[in-house]
Amino acid sequence: MSWWQEAVIYQVYPRSFQDTDGDGIGDLEGIRRRLPYLKSLGVGALWLSPFYRSPMRDFGYDVADYCQVDPTFGTLEDFDRLLREAHALGLKVLLDLVPNHTSDQHPWFLESRSSRENPKRDWYIWRDPAPQGGPPNNWQSFFGGPAWTLDEGTGQYYLHLFLPEQPDLNWQNPEVREAIQEVMRFWLKRGVDGFRVDVLWLLAKDPLFRDEPGSPHWRPGLPDRARHEHPFTEDQPETYAYVREMRQVLDAFSEPGRERVMVGEIYLPLSRLVRYYRAGCHLPFNFSLITEGLPDWRPENLARLVEAYEGLLTRWDWPNWVLGNHDQPRLASRLGEAQARVAATLLFTLRGTPTWYYGDELALPGVEIPPERVQDPALRRQRDRAPTPLLPLGRDPSRTPMPWDASPRAGFSTAEPWLPLNPDWPTRNVAAQEQDPRSMLQLVRRLIALRKEPELLHGAYRTYRAAGGVYAYLRGEGWLVALNLTDRAQALDLPRKGRVVLSTHLDREEGVGETLALRPDEGAVVRLG
Ligand code: NOJ
């Protein structure tokens, strides 16, 4: 098995992990100082959300220089030191590559917009206004409003699937692809272990720029992007060739035991998602638990999801699972802490590489953000346009600072943090949960350690029962995972006697006969005899 199959990937949102220079915003030096914590959790790889030079209109997903560290986060030297020390601890480091768009302040875009004749004009996607005036077609931005903005100076529109300050690069242009590949090489030479690639499924656009058809699901109040289906701005056939090229760059830096990997951010139905394996993406993010599992948290539904996904993989495809990230509501807010513990048990005992979002190990809740402290540009834009945006509270609630201890500002910073702390930080913090033998933090640590059992790593998955509030499955020959998704006691007949090795309640390790009694909200991992 390769390291990226065995590892748990832990997502760090650098703004909110640890501040060391007293500006209320986390930095690379802060992440470095917290490496021992990450090591103690047992994770194998860190994915760092963007820390590149950026005007921060979308908090770093608007890159103005792909090869520089933004001063908010430190310097290239800080990065090198972080990487060196992570590697010394046996932790891999994945960077966030944002190839679909740049900041409108990136020198490439400044050149591109300077005149129609500029050699970089074709690096972005420029179109004339529609014959009757207005945007060239009906494409809508993810953050609300048309995906086109008129550049007064040159009289053409440029495309931006996100903010107007995030113009889309023209991936049809081989110079653009080469430039992004150079960025990859820059970081690979410094030693990074791979990339999480932002919006991988959006890189290519319909060369004919056709209008997208109306969506039958749209109703007034939904975000603008939901007005249409997206046959012309998502998952275009050219994308696979682009993925293949990126994979070649990674392979050129790979050695046996030291593969450099590509994790792809892709929101697509599973049947289309798995095609990205064929294109060469090591781990196309499987968000099905987030999009379909959490909203319908029943055994029948979870088993259906897992079986559907497992059924689509060939023996060369390695599965992966995700429960949260910086764009999604917090796990604990979706399920409550008791079921968040059950969900963690699921994530770490399914076959495949799990990705874990910082703070979820504390069951950190989504934090209510007072209107005057809202930061998320997507929410600011959508607030006025869509009374029921996809995420009514925006993404800030999931991006709040990591609470480390009960000292002022939770040990995160000496200044007022850029987003408020969770109100219960004096008790819900890392130090407190280190002391509590039954905390969520201890559970996550135990699960990550248990996942190293060979059969839990690569044993086949088989549904055992998915009914009556209990979801149970076998891993390999010797393991059974039983999850009580209800707040009532349940019983499960076992195939044979065994031993409860771990309970979400962290209060029992004991032999078990033919019947396993599950308490309310209890998940158990059983070693079968
Ligand atoms: C997906 C990222 O996860 C999100 O945070 C960002 O706003 C968009 N891509 C645009 O880069």
Side-chain angles (χ1 to χ4, degrees):
M1 275 179 106
S2 305
W3 68 263
W4 51 276
Q5 298 174 305
E6 287 183 23
V8 171
I9 301 174
Y10 183 100
Q11 181 189 355
V12 175
Y13 194 68
R15 288 184 84 79
S16 290
F17 206 57
Q18 175 68 62
D19 178 24
T20 60
D21 62 1
D23 61 358
I25 301 173
D27 42 50
L28 294 179
E29 171 60 10
I31 301 171
R32 187 190 69 79
R33 291 194 199 162
R34 294 298 184 182
L35 287 174
Y37 166 74
L38 295 166
K39 180 71 189 167
S40 83
L41 259 186
V43 302
L46 314 181
W47 147 32
L48 309 179
S49 284
F51 52 76
Y52 318 108
R53 192 177 288 269
S54 162
M56 302 292 166
R57 302 306 293 259
D58 189 19
F59 296 112
Y61 286 95
D62 50 328
V63 180
D65 186 340
Y66 287 104
C67 300
Q68 274 300 332
V69 173
D70 193 88
T72 321
F73 297 119
T75 63
L76 262 181
E77 289 67 45
D78 292 334
F79 174 76
D80 288 340
R81 190 164 172 214
L82 165 60
L83 184 64
R84 220 173 26 248
E85 294 192 16
H87 281 167
L89 289 169
L91 297 167
K92 307 285 187 191
V93 177
L94 306 177
L95 301 196
D96 209 317
L97 182 70
V98 190
N100 177 70
H101 44 268
T102 68
S103 158
D104 64 345
Q105 300 306 308
H106 195 294
W108 298 344
F109 188 70
L110 295 178
E111 273 198 52
S112 185
R113 86 183 305 171
S114 66
S115 86
R116 292 195 189 200
E117 286 72 45
N118 187 279
K120 291 222 165 43
R121 185 65 169 182
D122 188 48
W123 280 41
Y124 292 82
I125 301 175
W126 293 96
R127 305 292 288 172
D128 287 332
Q132 65 283 15
N137 65 21
N138 72 359
W139 295 357
Q140 299 291 308
S141 140
F142 280 84
F143 290 166
W148 298 96
T149 290
L150 180 65
D151 174 56
E152 304 277 351
T154 58
Q156 283 189 310
Y157 282 84
Y158 65 88
L159 180 73
H160 52 87
L161 290 183
F162 295 90
L163 295 174
E165 293 86 357
Q166 291 169 296
D168 279 43
L169 283 162
N170 177 14
W171 269 73
Q172 271 200 323
N173 184 334
E175 290 175 13
V176 166
R177 304 205 294 275
E178 177 53 30
I180 293 293
Q181 288 163 17
E182 259 316 286
V183 170
M184 294 172 71
R185 291 186 198 104
F186 173 86
W187 292 106
L188 289 165
K189 282 182 203 149
R190 292 195 107 80
V192 305
D193 300 286
F195 302 95
R196 171 270 189 188
V197 185
D198 193 63
V199 298
L200 188 59
W201 86 115
L202 305 180
L203 289 185
K205 282 85 185 173
D206 176 42
L208 301 178
F209 293 92
R210 282 169 282 185
D211 275 345
E212 296 200 302
S215 162
H217 307 296
W218 193 77
R219 48 183 173 78
L222 284 181
D224 294 328
R225 178 91 188 151
R227 285 173 184 272
H228 305 118
E229 297 191 332
H230 306 296
F232 301 132
T233 55
E234 302 190 0
D235 195 26
Q236 301 296 293
E238 294 80 5
T239 320
Y240 308 116
Y242 303 158
V243 172
R244 212 160 282 131
E245 283 183 6
M246 286 194 265
R247 170 66 186 258
Q248 280 163 6
V249 176
L250 291 162
D251 284 352
F253 284 83
S254 298
E255 293 151 29
R258 181 87 211 279
E259 297 90 1
R260 317 282 183 121
V261 306
M262 186 189 333
V263 182
E265 187 202 22
I266 302 164
Y267 285 91
L268 282 176
L270 292 172
S271 56
R272 288 165 74 182
L273 176 72
V274 295
R275 295 189 203 152
Y276 286 78
Y277 281 112
R278 261 56 99 196
C281 180
H282 295 84
L283 297 173
F285 264 143
N286 164 15
F287 293 127
S288 60
L289 283 178
I290 292 180
T291 55
E292 292 178 59
L294 295 176
D296 184 6
W297 194 242
R298 289 177 306 117
E300 297 82 354
N301 184 47
L302 294 182
R304 174 191 65 83
L305 265 178
V306 175
E307 286 169 21
Y309 180 59
E310 283 272 355
L312 284 164
L313 301 180
T314 71
R315 74 191 119 121
W316 293 282
D317 307 331
W318 182 251
N320 78 90
W321 299 97
V322 193
L323 280 173
N325 62 40
H326 63 296
D327 296 326
Q328 302 293 339
R330 280 278 181 192
L331 177 62
S333 294
R334 298 195 75 165
L335 294 180
E337 176 167 349
Q339 282 296 319
R341 296 170 77 116
V342 173
T345 309
L346 171 71
L347 187 86
F348 291 117
T349 58
L350 283 173
R351 193 175 75 94
T353 301
T355 298
W356 189 255
Y357 186 50
Y358 88 95
D360 281 349
E361 68 273 29
L362 308 175
L364 211 59
V367 176
E368 200 181 316
I369 311 293
E372 69 282 4
R373 289 196 69 175
V374 167
Q375 300 274 355
D376 181 7
L379 181 62
R380 286 163 173 234
R381 247 181 108 74
Q382 286 183 12
R383 248 190 325 210
D384 321 325
R385 295 167 188 270
T388 46
L390 280 181
L391 294 175
L393 306 172
R395 301 172 296 176
D396 295 334
S398 315
R399 298 177 173 183
T400 60
M402 183 76 164
W404 292 100
D405 54 42
S407 68
R409 293 172 175 123
F412 167 72
S413 176
T414 51
E416 180 62 23
W418 75 291
L419 280 175
L421 287 157
N422 48 306
D424 58 352
W425 66 267
T427 49
R428 187 180 301 282
N429 60 55
V430 172
Q433 296 204 15
E434 293 282 8
Q435 294 308 313
D436 174 0
R438 296 189 186 157
S439 63
M440 173 103 176
L441 174 60
Q442 305 292 4
L443 173 66
V444 168
R445 193 173 272 148
R446 288 280 308 278
L447 284 165
I448 293 177
L450 189 57
R451 185 176 168 275
K452 300 198 164 76
E453 286 284 341
E455 280 199 314
L456 289 177
L457 273 180
H458 47 70
Y461 164 94
R462 255 180 312 146
T463 303
Y464 181 71
R465 173 169 154 191
V470 175
Y471 176 31
Y473 46 91
L474 297 158
R475 291 296 316 284
E477 299 305 316
W479 295 88
L480 181 138
V481 179
L483 307 174
N484 181 356
L485 306 191
T486 73
D487 57 6
R488 297 175 306 278
Q490 306 284 354
L492 179 74
D493 290 335
L494 298 180
R496 52 188 195 273
K497 288 190 208 145
R499 193 175 167 74
V500 175
V501 177
L502 182 65
S503 153
T504 44
H505 298 10
L506 293 178
D507 59 354
R508 63 161 161 161
E509 277 172 59
E510 61 196 14
V512 53
E514 318 279 69
T515 305
L516 173 68
L518 288 167
R519 289 164 292 169
D521 299 306
E522 185 179 25
V525 183
V526 180
R527 166 100 240 182
L528 295 170

